Amino acid sequence: MPKAIIDGREIEFEEGETILEAALRNGINIPHLCFNKRLGVKGRCRQCIVEADGRIVASCTTRLREGMHIITDNEKIREYRKINLDLLKSRINTSQILEDEEILEYLEEEGLFEEKLLSLPIDNSSPAIVRNPNICILCGRCVAMCNEQTVGAINYAYRSINTVIIPAFMDEINNTVCSTCGQCTLVCPTGAIREKEDIDRVMEALNDKDKHVIIQTAPSIRASLGELFGLPPGTLVTGKMVTALRLLGFDMVFDTDLGADLTTFEEAHELWHRINNNGVLPMTTSCCPAWIKFMEHFYPDLAPHVSTCKSPHEMFGAIAKSYYARLRGIDPSRIVVVSAMPCTAKKFEAQRQELINDGYRNVDYVLTTREIARMIKKKGIDFNSLEESEFDKPLGISSGAGAIYGATGGVTESVLRTLVWIAGEELGKIEYREVRGMEGVREAEIRIKDKNIKICIVHGLGNARKIMEKVRNKQAEYHFIEVMACPGGCIGGGGQPKSNDINILRKRAMALYTQDKKLKIRKAHENPIVRRIYDEFLEKPLSEKAHKYLHTSYIDRAPKI
Amino acid sequence: MQIERHTGFNGLRKALSMNPDELIELIRNSGLTGRGGAHFPTWKKLSLARSSQGEKIVVCDAEESEPGTFKDRFILEKNPLIVVEGIAIASHIIEARQAIIYLRGEYSFLEEGIRKAIEEYNKLFGDINIHLIISGGGYICGEETAILNSLEGKRPNPRNKPPFPVEKGYMDKPTLVNNVETLAMLPLIILGDYDPDLRLFSISGNVEKPGVYEARLGITLGELIARAKPIGNPRAVLLGASGGVLRYDPNLVLTMDNIERLGGMLGMNTLIIINDEQDLLQVFKHIAEFFVHESCGLCTPCREGNPRIVDIMEKIIDGTATSRDISLLERLAKYIADTSMCGLGKASTKWLLTALKYFPEVFSNAKSNN
Amino acid sequence: MKFILEDLWQIEKRFGYLPRRELESLAEKHGKPLAEIFSVASFYSLFSVDNPPKHFIGVCTCPSCIANGALEILHAFEEELGVSINSDEGDIRLLKLQCQGRCDKAPVVVIDGVYYEKVRLENIEKLIEKCR
């Protein structure tokens, strides 16, 4: 391997490796703001400059060469980095940086320049995300991410000192093709794009003695919440999370895994029905609201392909305000359903007009993993030393099938476990390893009775687009397509702890599969609560009542020119 | 002037009968380097593009936006045929079938003449498809990778190099980007009519007869400017906005090395003469404004640094600048020059670094006003 | 080969700016997001993504033009028109231009896309009439 010298240390590097990559790999920190390898963003902030053979270069764009001498810190470099940072600092309104953002560690010293703060309108239009261009340093990671998702809702506009990142014509983001996936919020170093915070509204509900406030937690957040309290990625914190939510004052702490079991049960029946009755195929999943909004913008003609099943937390909410309300004798108007989700799109979904039953919103508020952590910290709870406790009954019982919903391929595996049972194979397989993994597009063929069920699993909206183009051109010979808007599925959701490192996503997924393995009940249809809800309330899958409470419809958002 | 010669496509005819490697050797021996300002050896670019694989493109950079520079305009006005001929020769050498002339939007009055020249070429040869694309306006569009982005329908930001255009250019195809004047030299070289020391100087400012002058490198500034008839007492000579500013010295021998030794750059042979009746501070401030207006906005130093220079220049004009401001001016100038992403950003404070060196009185006078 | 620049020029020439509906159909035509088309269009100085004022008066402020009295011309326009640089009062936008590549004909004034070269203070009044 070729060698170079960084700060007097001889290091080996791979052909084509940049100075920054090699330095970071060797534990040598070079300050940097814009660099993001996965997105290919580099060379813009100029904070990572170093001296290479006596010349000042950006370490993120300069490839190492054999025998190169690199100095990462000297008086000149410090001078340039200071001016660079101070210029950025003098433009952004640091008082509007709300959280522990990446940039804060850089903003301590006194600046050289008079403040010339940006004062652009803050875009609060979306129920999912807020854009505050006044703290944007124009690194462009969000643009790269939005383009990687093939959404393209935002981009750079104008030039020079007037450069901003905005939707076309400075439209409100809610009036664009934004899928609300929130992947942009994961990569923004300053919080210039972040989730729309709903903490205050939830606190108001919690303080209202008249309200019965339920929180349900998504499958994936128990595998990621710990990271925000310094625990290693992949730590399952289910018990501590439940305790913390109780301490926050929620009347009931339930599990969206139950909602996932309902979705699996209903969706597997829908699929089987379509297969056997010449229904529209392939059928795609519907549990990802960013995927749904994306579909409504770009593929509304293919809406008949999309399962009509509501997403798990919406199913849960619908049941909470109907079946559960009756069971407990609580007027549904007093029930507030809060969803703790890995997702910003769920915030958008919660306010959809289609997701109302008997005059009540299925879900009232959605909090992201990050907001949950923020609430716990604000309350002064020492999360890591909490006792573990269990979900409340009866809506806290769930199966392993629900647990794995959080990872790409999880919904498919859950549906398969139940589909086999519907088809009449009593001793169906439990684990379908062929549908697991992190590849963006995966295919599998599963034999059920006399049928070969062809499956495709995609995550990331760019991959979804590839497959939907095939569907549109009638080249997709699948029965079932699972779509998750976020890379990795919900474990990589836009509301998760900020990271888009694939290794962290893998660890989170692993935690969910481990949880599944440990559970006694691993199939949705074996969840006693699911059976009870049908017996006592919904009658049977795809019944009129099931349709009313568990299914939904879509709208056409395509531009009309 | 040699550039006005009507070569009548004879250079191209001869080139077509020759082996591209021979042609590259010929161009190498001529010593021709890029006339867009960077002076990269033309034969080397041709040779790199030639050895790249796949479909190739030739781009003629006619986005001439350097203040004080109008020699490409002059060439395209007087002799568009020789430019088209040069494009065809370059295409022959690298085996390109597509060529694009990227013309400055402010020069769209040249469109007709260029289209006629292309038609002429098409009538006689026509093996290369030559497109004429008009830029939407922007100094950065003259940067070779920014042109490529612009042509691809993207924002004309410069790209990180490597990869270089000759490897991955327009639509990732190997692309040869050359300036108008460089390409126009090719027919002359092939016909044996090329004089390696002749240059086209754009002379303007306080002279009676501004215009494009042909002269040999090594001529003294005084001798050359005498031809344009200076008005009043020349005080400063600006080498465009990006080449720096020097004290007017009639004995200054105009060679690239000489100018570089003084901290300037004789990139496009631009000479703007400013006499002692002008307010140099205003001239300087407007150069700073030029770089603010023309920054693409992609990297921090150029985007955020140049507006601060304008601010300080305004303070100097108002008489409110302090010595701290002046030192900040110098710190900013070095920072921008050393850390900007592209060549244009790096050159955007050359004027300031040279102005601080050769015209300290302009800055210190203002300081004492305080 | 397809060039978005050619489409943008066509629209700019036809409407005098780039109307939203035109950029929307351009996005459709090239299969690109509207935000990307807007990003590109808003970059260039010769295109306007806003509905522009009725008249533009631009004075080049490159060093050659300044050395030939461009700033005096600019101030004369300011005074005669009673508008300040880059403000959007009324029908006329007065602005500083960057080098127009006509430094041998300095100072240069551009009114609604038409070039006026070697402009003298005494020409100002006549030039303003072009906008009335």
Side-chain angles (χ1 to χ4, degrees):
Chain A
M1 271 226 266
K3 294 185 183 73
I5 293 167
I6 303 185
D7 293 342
R9 237 174 87 190
E10 189 176 74
I11 61 143
E12 293 189 331
F13 64 92
E14 276 166 45
E15 205 57 59
E17 204 173 11
T18 63
I19 300 168
L20 181 61
E21 283 163 355
L24 293 175
R25 198 167 46 73
N26 281 282
I28 301 165
N29 188 41
I30 300 173
H32 57 279
L33 291 169
C34 71
F35 176 70
N36 186 299
K37 190 175 163 82
R38 212 195 88 195
L39 295 171
V41 171
K42 57 190 172 182
R44 299 175 187 177
C45 75
R46 314 309 281 184
Q47 187 63 21
C48 72
I49 48 145
V50 295
E51 231 175 73
D53 293 337
R55 262 182 59 229
I56 294 282
V57 297
S59 61
C60 64
T61 56
T62 310
R63 295 179 194 170
L64 275 171
R65 280 194 312 272
E66 175 73 49
M68 216 181 209
H69 273 257
I70 309 296
I71 297 167
T72 70
D73 192 14
N74 64 22
E75 205 180 318
K76 192 194 227 176
I77 293 168
R78 277 195 298 277
E79 156 84 353
Y80 289 166
R81 284 192 192 141
K82 176 164 176 57
I83 296 178
N84 194 60
L85 210 51
D86 287 352
L87 283 170
L88 288 173
K89 191 163 72 174
S90 66
R91 297 276 286 159
I92 63 173
N93 195 335
T94 48
S95 70
Q96 291 177 10
I97 298 177
L98 296 173
E99 222 186 334
D100 199 15
E101 303 289 356
E102 217 176 310
I103 193 161
L104 284 182
E105 66 173 294
Y106 294 105
L107 298 183
E108 284 152 17
E109 279 179 65
E110 172 102 12
L112 286 168
F113 304 97
E114 266 169 59
E115 281 190 348
K116 263 180 135 182
L117 300 183
L118 293 158
S119 83
L120 295 154
I122 294 175
D123 182 354
N124 264 312
S125 63
S126 164
I129 55 171
V130 178
R131 279 190 334 102
N132 180 358
N134 299 323
I135 51 175
C136 173
I137 58 165
L138 301 170
C139 71
R141 289 182 191 169
C142 56
V143 176
M145 183 55 94
C146 201
N147 286 336
E148 187 184 284
Q149 290 285 58
T150 68
V151 171
I154 47 172
N155 211 315
Y156 286 96
Y158 307 103
R159 76 180 189 201
S160 184
I161 194 70
N162 298 319
T163 309
V164 280
I165 292 174
I166 48 167
F169 294 97
M170 225 188 274
D171 287 348
E172 292 188 327
I173 189 80
N174 205 35
N175 296 330
T176 71
V177 292
C178 171
S179 74
T180 69
C181 74
Q183 285 293 306
C184 49
T185 69
L186 292 183
V187 293
C188 178
T190 67
I193 302 190
R194 68 204 295 272
E195 70 283 345
K196 164 80 75 64
E197 211 179 75
D198 284 305
I199 294 176
D200 288 349
R201 297 202 290 164
V202 171
M203 290 305 292
E204 205 175 298
L206 286 173
N207 290 332
D208 186 340
K209 291 283 161 280
D210 200 37
K211 298 287 188 205
H212 180 75
V213 187
I214 293 171
I215 189 159
Q216 51 165 327
T217 66
S220 67
I221 80 164
R222 65 206 68 183
S224 59
L225 182 62
E227 289 168 37
L228 294 167
F229 297 96
L231 298 172
T235 311
L236 270 180
V237 294
T238 321
K240 289 186 193 309
M241 174 183 75
V242 172
T243 308
L245 293 172
R246 264 196 205 107
L247 287 173
L248 287 175
F250 289 98
D251 296 306
M252 286 289 156
V253 182
F254 288 143
D255 197 351
T256 311
D257 287 17
L258 171 68
D261 281 343
L262 286 169
T263 305
T264 300
F265 196 61
E266 201 63 23
E267 196 162 299
H269 279 94
E270 184 186 356
L271 176 61
W272 195 244
H273 183 83
R274 288 193 190 212
I275 290 172
N276 291 301
N277 296 283
N278 278 325
V280 179
L281 290 172
M283 182 184 92
T284 82
T285 56
S286 57
C287 36
C288 171
W291 148 239
I292 293 299
K293 187 161 186 277
F294 179 83
M295 178 275 295
E296 290 174 325
H297 282 291
F298 299 105
Y299 299 97
D301 51 316
L302 302 181
H305 286 271
V306 182
S307 162
T308 55
C309 287
K310 287 181 187 172
S311 68
H313 83 123
E314 295 288 343
M315 283 198 181
F316 182 100
I319 293 300
K321 292 191 183 178
S322 54
Y323 171 75
Y324 169 80
R326 216 169 50 189
L327 194 74
R328 292 286 306 266
I330 306 171
D331 190 308
S333 67
R334 286 182 48 223
I335 297 181
V336 175
V337 175
V338 179
S339 302
M341 297 281 130
C343 182
T344 48
K346 297 278 181 203
K347 289 174 183 277
F348 172 82
E349 184 188 32
Q351 50 80 61
R352 287 184 70 116
Q353 292 307 304
E354 299 84 1
L355 297 171
I356 292 173
N357 285 112
D358 308 322
Y360 306 111
R361 274 197 190 291
N362 295 159
V363 169
D364 296 284
Y365 306 114
V366 173
L367 299 170
T368 60
T369 318
R370 299 193 292 267
E371 288 167 275
I372 295 289
R374 222 173 286 151
M375 285 176 81
I376 293 170
K377 285 176 185 168
K378 221 171 171 180
K379 185 101 178 179
I381 296 169
D382 179 8
F383 186 79
N384 293 336
S385 58
L386 287 177
E387 294 285 321
E388 302 200 351
S389 59
E390 297 204 340
F391 285 111
D392 287 307
K393 295 191 170 55
L395 304 186
I397 295 179
S398 58
S399 79
I404 60 175
Y405 253 64
T408 166
V411 176
T412 303
E413 191 166 341
S414 303
V415 166
L416 285 171
R417 290 178 190 175
T418 294
L419 200 63
V420 178
W421 170 77
I422 297 170
E425 283 184 20
E426 270 309 324
L427 292 170
K429 220 165 97 172
I430 297 178
E431 294 190 356
Y432 291 85
R433 294 193 165 259
E434 55 269 56
V435 303
R436 299 183 185 179
M438 277 290 164
E439 243 155 88
V441 179
R442 305 194 294 286
E443 291 177 330
E445 205 169 310
I446 311 285
R447 187 144 186 99
I448 297 180
K449 273 270 167 97
D450 56 339
K451 288 188 168 66
N452 277 335
I453 306 295
K454 289 184 182 169
I455 291 164
C456 182
I457 295 154
V458 293
H459 55 124
L461 287 171
N463 293 320
R465 184 180 287 275
K466 278 185 216 154
I467 294 301
M468 292 321 278
E469 286 299 320
K470 276 192 175 179
V471 174
R472 192 176 264 169
N473 298 325
K474 311 241 180 294
Q475 292 164 336
E477 290 183 7
Y478 307 112
H479 294 93
F480 185 69
I481 302 172
E482 177 193 307
V483 188
M484 294 294 158
C486 294
C490 306
I491 48 161
Q496 293 281 40
K498 287 176 134 191
S499 165
N500 65 350
D501 179 342
I502 191 86
N503 292 317
I504 291 180
L505 300 189
R506 281 212 175 88
K507 284 179 187 152
R508 292 177 189 163
M510 195 57 72
L512 297 182
Y513 286 117
T514 308
Q515 186 199 352
D516 167 42
K517 234 185 170 104
K518 283 190 192 148
L519 286 169
K520 239 175 28 215
I521 309 167
R522 299 182 66 187
K523 298 171 179 175
H525 56 278
E526 290 176 0
N527 181 339
I529 301 300
V530 171
R531 303 306 285 264
R532 223 176 103 191
I533 293 169
Y534 277 93
D535 288 347
E536 294 174 9
F537 181 58
L538 295 170
E539 293 153 16
K540 58 183 195 335
L542 310 180
S543 69
E544 201 178 308
K545 223 166 177 182
H547 261 283
K548 177 177 167 192
Y549 287 97
L550 305 186
H551 288 253
T552 183
S553 59
Y554 307 115
I555 55 180
D556 182 347
R557 300 179 196 269
K560 312 282 179 288
I561 294 182
Chain B
M1 289 190 210
Q2 67 173 7
I3 199 69
E4 292 179 277
R5 275 212 41 199
H6 289 279
T7 47
F9 289 114
N10 285 328
L12 175 58
R13 284 196 189 89
K14 192 169 168 201
L16 290 173
S17 72
M18 286 169 75
N19 177 317
D21 292 323
E22 272 176 77
L23 288 165
I24 289 175
E25 199 49 33
L26 199 62
I27 293 160
R28 180 183 189 156
N29 291 335
S30 78
L32 179 66
T33 60
R35 298 283 171 88
H39 302 293
F40 190 81
T42 307
W43 72 271
K44 209 168 182 180
K45 238 189 201 181
L46 283 163
S47 161
L48 287 169
R50 178 166 167 73
S51 57
S52 289
Q53 298 300 309
E55 197 196 334
K56 296 165 194 173
I57 315 282
V58 169
V59 173
C60 169
D61 182 352
E63 171 62 72
E64 180 182 56
S65 308
E66 181 65 39
T69 312
F70 42 91
K71 47 106 185 161
D72 289 344
R73 189 203 79 203
F74 177 84
I75 296 170
L76 288 166
E77 238 174 331
K78 299 279 177 195
N79 199 358
L81 277 170
I82 202 169
V83 178
V84 169
E85 189 176 349
I87 291 169
I89 292 169
S91 303
H92 168 63
I93 293 172
I94 71 160
E95 289 170 28
R97 288 280 159 274
Q98 304 283 344
I100 304 165
I101 300 173
Y102 186 85
L103 180 69
R104 171 165 204 209
E106 289 84 348
Y107 287 178
S108 50
F109 72 99
L110 297 171
E111 190 178 341
E112 206 189 321
I114 297 170
R115 287 208 191 278
K116 270 195 188 143
I118 296 173
E119 256 170 55
E120 193 97 340
Y121 164 81
N122 285 341
K123 260 188 259 159
L124 294 166
F125 302 88
D127 8 347
I128 298 143
N129 205 348
I130 304 175
H131 306 261
L132 174 60
I133 301 299
I134 317 271
S135 162
Y139 177 68
I140 191 65
C141 299
E143 202 278 343
E144 62 170 357
T145 57
I147 292 191
L148 301 174
N149 279 338
S150 175
L151 288 170
E152 288 180 14
K154 297 178 182 148
R155 275 170 84 78
N157 295 321
R159 298 176 180 176
N160 288 308
K161 290 187 265 193
F164 293 92
V166 286
E167 313 158 74
K168 267 187 174 195
Y170 174 73
M171 298 290 182
D172 282 348
K173 295 168 188 168
T175 305
L176 179 87
V177 186
N178 269 137
N179 163 264
V180 169
E181 188 184 347
T182 316
L183 289 165
M185 292 299 134
L186 297 183
L188 298 174
I189 291 171
I190 287 161
L191 293 172
D193 279 349
Y194 174 72
D195 183 334
D197 292 332
L198 281 182
R199 290 291 183 280
L200 293 177
F201 289 86
S202 306
I203 300 176
S204 65
N206 296 123
V207 291
E208 252 175 64
K209 292 166 72 183
V212 173
Y213 288 82
E214 188 177 55
R216 241 166 245 289
L217 282 180
I219 191 174
T220 62
L221 183 60
E223 208 180 325
L224 180 57
I225 296 306
R227 286 164 64 184
K229 298 205 162 55
I231 301 169
N233 296 317
R235 179 183 181 197
V237 55
L238 274 157
L239 309 159
S242 68
V245 56
L246 304 176
R247 273 205 176 271
Y248 183 84
D249 171 6
N251 298 318
L252 175 64
V253 177
L254 293 173
T255 65
M256 274 161 46
D257 289 350
N258 246 348
I259 300 286
E260 227 173 280
R261 216 168 302 134
L262 295 169
M265 201 170 65
L266 199 57
M268 281 155 272
N269 305 310
T270 302
L271 304 169
I272 306 171
I273 306 301
I274 309 289
N275 68 20
D276 60 2
E277 286 167 38
Q278 307 304 318
D279 182 350
L280 261 187
L281 259 180
Q282 282 294 348
V283 172
F284 290 162
K285 188 193 93 164
H286 282 86
I287 295 176
E289 282 184 2
F290 167 77
F291 284 112
V292 171
H293 191 262
E294 299 304 333
S295 165
C296 82
L298 193 65
C299 79
T300 313
C302 176
R303 180 188 69 236
E304 304 290 340
N306 278 309
R308 296 296 178 162
I309 291 176
V310 172
D311 290 351
I312 298 174
M313 293 305 294
E314 269 168 1
K315 278 170 112 180
I316 297 173
I317 290 169
D318 292 351
T320 58
T322 62
S323 55
R324 184 182 172 276
D325 287 321
I326 306 298
S327 97
L328 207 47
L329 208 51
E330 187 158 6
R331 288 169 75 183
L332 277 166
K334 286 182 179 159
Y335 151 77
I336 295 169
D338 272 351
T339 67
S340 290
M341 178 177 165
C342 76
L344 302 191
K346 286 181 197 298
S348 69
T349 53
K350 202 176 262 294
W351 70 269
L352 180 52
L353 289 166
T354 42
L356 286 164
K357 190 166 161 190
Y358 298 114
F359 299 92
E361 74 278 10
V362 171
F363 300 91
S364 61
N365 281 351
K367 210 170 26 173
S368 62
N369 286 348
N370 195 13
Chain C
M1 288 179 160
K2 262 196 203 165
F3 300 97
I4 287 178
L5 266 176
E6 290 187 315
D7 295 310
L8 289 172
W9 269 115
Q10 243 174 36
I11 301 169
E12 177 74 34
K13 279 183 184 158
R14 187 162 157 219
F15 298 95
Y17 73 110
L18 304 171
R20 183 188 183 107
R21 60 176 190 284
E22 296 297 321
L23 292 191
E24 280 168 352
S25 30
L26 197 59
E28 188 83 10
K29 175 181 161 190
H30 289 275
K32 294 201 173 204
L34 181 62
E36 192 178 327
I37 297 286
F38 184 82
S39 173
V40 171
S42 64
F43 185 97
Y44 294 105
S45 55
L46 298 173
F47 299 142
S48 174
V49 287
D50 318 308
N51 206 339
K54 238 169 150 177
H55 301 287
F56 277 104
I57 300 183
V59 180
C60 179
T61 55
C62 81
S64 317
C65 286
I66 291 183
N68 285 285
L71 294 181
E72 289 75 17
I73 302 271
L74 187 67
H75 296 142
F77 272 119
E78 271 186 297
E79 258 174 45
E80 286 290 317
L81 294 166
V83 300
S84 44
I85 298 161
N86 267 335
S87 78
D88 267 338
E89 316 142 29
D91 288 347
I92 300 173
R93 187 183 294 168
L94 177 65
L95 67 168
K96 288 182 183 176
L97 296 177
Q98 302 310 326
C99 182
Q100 298 291 304
R102 290 155 171 85
C103 323
D104 47 345
K105 294 152 188 169
V108 172
V109 171
V110 186
I111 299 178
D112 299 334
V114 181
Y115 281 83
Y116 300 90
E117 294 163 346
K118 297 185 181 171
V119 174
R120 297 280 159 254
L121 275 173
E122 51 269 28
N123 307 138
I124 298 283
E125 229 165 294
K126 235 184 180 155
L127 288 175
I128 287 175
E129 266 168 43
K130 311 262 176 206
C131 300
R132 302 239 194 252

